[in-house]
Amino acid sequence: MAVLLFCTVAMACAPAAHAEDGYDLWLRYPPTESARATAYRAQVSQLLAADATPTQAATRAELLRGLRGLLGVTPVPANTVTQAGAVVVGTPSSSPTIARLRLDTRRLGPEGYLIRSVAIDGHAVTVIAADADAGALYGAFHFLRLLQTGQPIAKLDLRDTPRVKLRLLDHWDDLDGHVERGYAGASIWDWHKLPDYLDPRYTDYARANASLGINGTVLNNVNSNALSLTPAYLEKAAALAGVFRPYGIRVFLSARFSAPMEIGGLKTADPLDPAVKRWWRDKADEIYRVIPDFGGFLVKANSEGQPGPQDYGRSHADGANLLADALAPHGGTVMWRAFVYSHEEPDDRAKQAYTEFVPLDGKFRGNVLVQVKNGAIDFQPREPFHPLFGAMPKTPLMMEFQITKEYLGFATHLVYLGPLYEETLKADTHAKGKDSTVAKVIDGSLDGHALTGMAGVANIGAGRNWSGSHFDQANWYVYGRLAWNPTLSSRAIAEEWVRMTFSNEEGVVAPVVDMMMGSREAAVDYMTPLGLHHLMGRSHHYGPGPWVEGGPRADWTSVYYHRANREGIGFDRTAHGSNAVAQYSPYLAREFGDLQRVPEEFLLWFHHLPWDYRTRSGRPLWDELVHRYTSGVDYVRGMRSTWSGLEGKVDAERHAQVAAFLGIQEKEAQWWRDASIAYFQTLSGRPLPAGEAAPAHTLEYYQSLEFPYAPGSGR
Ligand code: BDP
């Protein structure tokens, strides 16, 4: 075991010499303010960290990097704890010092850790102990986070284990470098140069994910290309897996259901056909030969034109089980998506996944997770939680959140998604009485599942700042932290992120956190207030399009969802309408179906109401709608002024970009408001409430706008 002793060097507290372009994410490790740094240095005078395995080496390297950056200390080798302030990292098998302490690491599992202030031979020491290397790595990141956020470290007694087993990013990246719904440039995977060239960025990607506890990545788009499963591409995926492995991250692939035909030369992909079964078994064997710790397959089947088992009259369970059987001998998992709605089914789209999947509860193999989007439509600014949560007790359900902001302003709108995720996770399904939260469905505690998971559709691209904007990094961050522990508070996570990414100064932290916390509600208000949904521009999804109608299918239009006419607006999902409320527990079905009790944020999701319906503010519905649109825009204006007040407190480079993006956001929020009001006014026939400004342009103007090159389009 290598043991390092620090010597402290004089530290220049000058601003970082490199450009503040966001590349370093929340792992910037900037110099700590001097009084605090002096105190910390005495507490990290020595580092005992083994480097016998790649994960141990990564752990030690990260601690050294962090301490050097934060405290300006340079390590030199030593042997044992010889002075106060040693930091000891490892497991009972990697560290004799930890073994001597006889800590109960067993109960931490393969990824948990504890951080404790103890005395060793009379010296005050910080121990970061785990039962396995990955846990020690996570513990090291936690320790660095404490320093970076200015926490005291003298009396630590922390213990943490992940509540969710698979904590994944889903990349919607195509093999040609395009990212579906990606707003941060091209794909970070340079398939053409893989496997021979390993961009150092892959390592930084792994570090960032490990710092949050993300332990898996699905490399390719759910609208997948069978070529990903050919030997040449498997070799490329294996090279990435090699970079990620030391950081506890496993590689998964989206599998195209018709691959046996497209790359296997078979005539069918029927899941019950023996040749198809053999093909998948052989394919799984082949994958595990090159990627021994391969995680498994993600599948989008019989959805939006993708092939699937229903093409052969088979069920989703038949399809999932086919792949599950192929992976089972190797310990792999199938994540089968419940995002399905069919051409043939004329029913309310919000009901279709439930209708198809609930009858299959109990029919999936033990290594299948059904992956469910947070809401029943499609990653809208606000949706009630998906009714499948709580409705399939015999099947482990995995959460799918979208981190990339397809429906929330792409990269330029400052919208912190923490409150959206938290709202969904805290929602009570009432499936087994009160306090049957979605978080408990996801972490397996409600129904006793050991296989659990959460997926976030990544917002990562090759752009220098990874996520398309500085603030979108916070969405990657909060997703990762909540995947580790779905009960954390999004406000606390925002604060952590601001401290690590921008500044520990209270004068920065408080206003920025406040601004972030209200930003999602503001986007709901200027885009889709009061439960409206799916009103964006057709296909590229950029900007407002409440007038969208016609085309290949009704449920790809806006008019299908808002149902506005001379009389009123909203989708009646009560027993008088589509009765989607009945897919929730009886308690919630009553609540959502009852105008007196339905939460106002879901009003028009569940009810069709007259324009003069009196809302809780006392305003008629039309006036309330206009009021909400306007207050969303006002909030953005407020964020601009808060941010401009921070000039000089945040580095000029990032300050300027955020300021410019907020300018774009204000313009576009105004556009959403004005276009929506101009359109709905033609139906309501009502005047604008007193004091409300008229839209800047005519409805025809807004309808004439076209965006053939909007980024991230699907294909
Ligand atoms: C929709 C996206 C589309 C995705 C689809 C999915 O617009 O690009 O393919 O979700 O999740 O929101 O499969």
Side-chain angles (χ1 to χ4, degrees):
M1 180 178 60
V3 180
L4 304 170
L5 179 69
F6 289 139
C7 70
T8 308
V9 292
M11 195 180 65
C13 282
H18 66 282
E20 287 285 11
D21 56 12
Y23 182 83
D24 292 337
L25 295 160
W26 48 89
L27 300 176
R28 296 167 66 244
Y29 305 133
T32 304
E33 163 272 312
S34 81
R36 191 175 281 148
T38 307
Y40 279 157
R41 273 186 215 118
Q43 293 167 302
V44 295
S45 65
Q46 266 188 308
L47 176 65
L48 285 78
D51 66 352
T53 67
T55 301
Q56 290 167 13
T59 306
R60 194 174 77 154
E62 194 67 33
L63 281 165
L64 294 181
R65 177 201 282 251
L67 296 175
R68 208 174 295 137
L70 290 165
L71 305 176
V73 287
T74 305
V76 288
N79 279 324
T80 47
V81 174
T82 56
Q83 61 187 74
V87 176
V88 187
V89 190
T91 65
S93 42
S94 74
S95 160
T97 312
I98 289 181
R100 250 179 73 197
L101 292 172
R102 301 195 171 285
L103 300 164
D104 182 13
T105 54
R106 279 278 167 73
R107 289 189 18 234
L108 297 168
E111 299 184 308
Y113 57 86
L114 52 82
I115 308 181
R116 220 173 262 173
S117 306
V118 299
I120 296 180
D121 299 334
H123 302 301
V125 170
T126 305
V127 174
I128 305 172
D131 202 47
D133 282 354
L137 174 67
Y138 294 144
F141 274 114
H142 189 147
F143 182 67
L144 288 171
R145 186 162 75 229
L146 294 175
L147 296 176
Q148 223 182 320
T149 56
Q151 307 296 306
I153 56 165
K155 291 187 192 134
L156 296 176
D157 188 6
L158 299 166
R159 181 181 184 282
D160 209 359
T161 54
R163 296 199 185 195
V164 175
K165 196 166 164 203
L166 303 180
R167 307 177 297 278
L168 309 189
L169 285 181
D170 287 2
H171 288 266
W172 284 0
D173 294 19
D174 297 324
L175 298 182
D176 64 0
H178 172 261
V179 181
E180 184 156 339
R181 311 312 177 182
Y183 313 104
S187 171
I188 47 167
W189 317 134
D190 191 343
W191 293 108
H192 184 67
K193 298 196 189 76
L194 284 165
D196 300 313
Y197 175 63
L198 297 171
D199 192 325
R201 195 169 178 133
Y202 303 149
T203 307
D204 288 329
Y205 166 88
R207 290 175 49 237
N209 281 322
S211 77
L212 306 174
I214 288 172
N215 66 359
T217 177
V218 183
L219 299 176
N220 58 325
N221 196 348
V222 283
N223 297 321
S224 63
N225 186 329
L227 287 180
S228 301
L229 300 176
T230 56
Y233 278 95
L234 291 176
E235 211 190 318
K236 295 168 192 282
L240 289 174
V243 176
F244 303 157
R245 192 167 294 118
Y247 294 90
I249 297 166
R250 289 194 300 161
V251 155
F252 294 69
L253 290 171
S254 291
R256 186 158 164 91
F257 200 76
S258 50
M261 298 160 76
E262 289 161 12
I263 59 168
L266 301 190
K267 293 215 159 42
T268 177
D270 182 345
L272 301 192
D273 185 287
V276 172
K277 291 187 185 182
R278 196 170 329 113
W279 189 87
W280 281 109
R281 268 202 314 271
D282 291 348
K283 184 50 74 181
D285 294 348
E286 179 191 342
I287 295 175
Y288 280 91
R289 272 195 299 276
V290 290
I291 312 176
D293 56 352
F294 179 65
F297 294 131
L298 170 64
V299 189
K300 172 177 179 178
N302 293 122
S303 163
E304 299 184 331
Q306 294 299 309
Q310 293 176 339
D311 302 348
Y312 308 94
R314 316 295 185 196
S315 73
H316 282 289
D318 294 329
N321 293 343
L322 163 77
L323 301 182
D325 288 343
L327 293 170
H330 308 282
T333 306
V334 172
M335 298 168 293
W336 193 267
R337 294 177 91 220
F339 177 67
V340 299
Y341 58 102
S342 75
H343 277 279
E344 292 76 38
E345 187 76 59
D347 201 2
D348 177 1
R349 175 170 154 192
K351 289 167 62 184
Q352 293 184 34
Y354 180 103
T355 308
E356 285 205 38
F357 276 82
V358 168
L360 301 176
D361 192 22
K363 301 217 162 76
F364 293 95
R365 298 279 192 270
N367 57 334
V368 176
L369 281 153
V370 171
Q371 182 167 313
V372 183
K373 288 189 182 182
N374 58 286
I377 298 293
D378 201 355
F379 297 140
Q380 292 301 292
R382 169 169 277 124
E383 300 191 31
F385 73 85
H386 201 301
L388 275 174
F389 294 118
M392 293 182 68
K394 295 190 205 123
T395 310
L397 300 188
M398 177 167 175
M399 174 63 77
E400 179 175 325
F401 283 128
Q402 194 176 45
I403 309 171
T404 189
K405 302 204 313 302
E406 175 181 358
Y407 301 99
L408 286 128
F410 293 9
T412 43
H413 293 210
L414 194 167
V415 179
Y416 173 55
L417 298 176
L420 186 163
Y421 302 157
E422 183 175 0
E423 178 177 301
T424 308
L425 292 165
K426 289 209 166 127
D428 194 346
T429 68
H430 290 265
K432 291 190 166 170
K434 220 172 148 17
D435 205 23
S436 305
T437 59
V438 172
K440 288 185 178 170
V441 176
I442 295 309
D443 71 15
S445 60
L446 192 69
D447 300 305
H449 294 296
L451 179 59
T452 55
M454 201 189 284
V457 179
N459 65 351
I460 296 164
R464 192 57 199 163
N465 70 18
W466 300 87
S467 300
S469 79
H470 297 297
F471 274 88
D472 278 333
Q473 297 177 355
N475 292 327
W476 176 6
Y477 187 91
V478 68
Y479 162 73
R481 299 280 287 124
L482 286 170
W484 176 276
N485 181 353
T487 68
L488 293 178
S489 122
S490 63
R491 175 176 281 274
I493 297 171
E495 177 171 336
E496 233 172 68
W497 178 82
V498 172
R499 288 179 181 279
M500 292 169 79
T501 307
F502 283 114
S503 167
N504 266 315
E505 237 186 86
E506 292 311 324
V508 174
V509 176
V512 176
V513 169
D514 281 347
M515 157 175 128
M516 288 168 74
M517 287 307 291
S519 61
R520 181 276 189 135
E521 201 62 46
V524 169
D525 280 344
Y526 64 71
M527 291 179 172
T528 51
L530 293 172
L532 289 173
H533 50 289
H534 205 291
L535 304 183
M536 62 288 164
R538 194 197 288 276
S539 130
H540 49 67
H541 299 169
Y542 173 62
W547 47 81
V548 169
E549 61 181 336
R553 45 187 305 163
D555 53 9
W556 282 356
T557 67
S558 302
V559 296
Y560 173 89
Y561 294 99
H562 64 63
R563 309 206 163 196
N565 53 25
R566 300 295 302 176
E567 280 71 51
I569 181 170
F571 198 130
D572 185 356
R573 293 192 166 107
T574 69
H576 307 294
S578 79
N579 205 21
V581 291
Q583 294 185 334
Y584 290 94
S585 66
Y587 175 90
L588 284 182
R590 275 195 303 277
E591 178 176 303
F592 291 155
D594 179 352
L595 264 180
Q596 304 310 311
R597 290 170 60 211
V598 62
E600 199 156 63
E601 66 260 28
F602 300 135
L603 193 63
L604 303 177
W605 185 282
F606 289 116
H607 298 268
H608 183 86
L609 296 169
W611 292 109
D612 61 1
Y613 173 80
R614 204 144 286 276
T615 60
R616 286 179 197 155
S617 64
R619 284 185 277 267
L621 179 55
W622 165 250
D623 293 27
E624 180 68 18
L625 261 187
V626 176
H627 170 76
R628 299 270 179 138
Y629 281 122
T630 304
S631 55
V633 183
D634 288 346
Y635 190 90
V636 178
R637 223 169 267 132
M639 291 203 289
R640 283 189 82 177
S641 103
T642 302
W643 189 254
S644 78
L646 296 174
E647 199 171 346
K649 294 188 173 167
V650 166
D651 55 277
E653 196 174 347
R654 288 186 298 169
H655 189 274
Q657 194 192 75
V658 172
F661 281 15
L662 284 168
I664 297 174
Q665 185 176 7
E666 186 185 334
K667 236 191 333 193
E668 295 187 349
Q670 189 73 48
W671 168 34
W672 266 94
R673 173 204 180 268
D674 288 355
S676 305
I677 291 176
Y679 170 73
F680 286 125
Q681 198 172 24
T682 63
L683 297 163
S684 80
R686 289 172 169 252
L688 288 174
E692 289 285 359
H697 301 279
T698 62
L699 175 59
E700 293 65 36
Y701 166 81
Y702 296 115
Q703 289 175 321
S704 73
L705 300 175
E706 283 183 36
F707 304 97
Y709 304 115
S713 294
R715 297 171 164 174

